[in-house]
Amino acid sequence: MRSALKLSLFLFPLFMLGEKSFSLSNYEINQICKKERKGSICIKILKEKRNNLQKGNLIEIPVIPFRK
């Protein structure tokens, strides 16, 4: 009984959140690319990545090291 309850509590969020992808809005893309030197290229790249994410394709996410 307990294992069935744990299994259902584990699987429920997967089914509820599985089809949603959280991508950037146009405003957020513009705010990020405002600081870049070539803003139009930055906007184009981020919009392509957003479209690929919404289609379900894999995207590459760069990791920027933190500096103090």
Side-chain angles (χ1 to χ4, degrees), residues 14-41:
L14 292 177
F15 289 119
M16 294 301 292
L17 299 174
E19 294 296 319
K20 296 181 183 177
S21 63
F22 301 104
S23 57
L24 297 174
S25 66
N26 286 336
Y27 178 76
E28 291 172 327
I29 289 174
N30 288 333
Q31 291 298 315
I32 291 170
C33 292
K34 186 187 297 184
K35 302 170 190 171
E36 294 294 322
R37 194 168 176 197
K38 296 183 178 181
S40 60
I41 295 173

Side-chain angles (χ1 to χ4, degrees), residues 46-64:
L46 286 179
K47 285 186 178 182
E48 285 178 9
K49 287 184 180 184
R50 178 181 63 188
N51 289 337
N52 286 337
L53 180 64
Q54 289 175 343
K55 289 178 186 175
N57 299 335
L58 295 176
I59 61 171
E60 183 180 329
I61 301 172
V63 177
I64 302 169

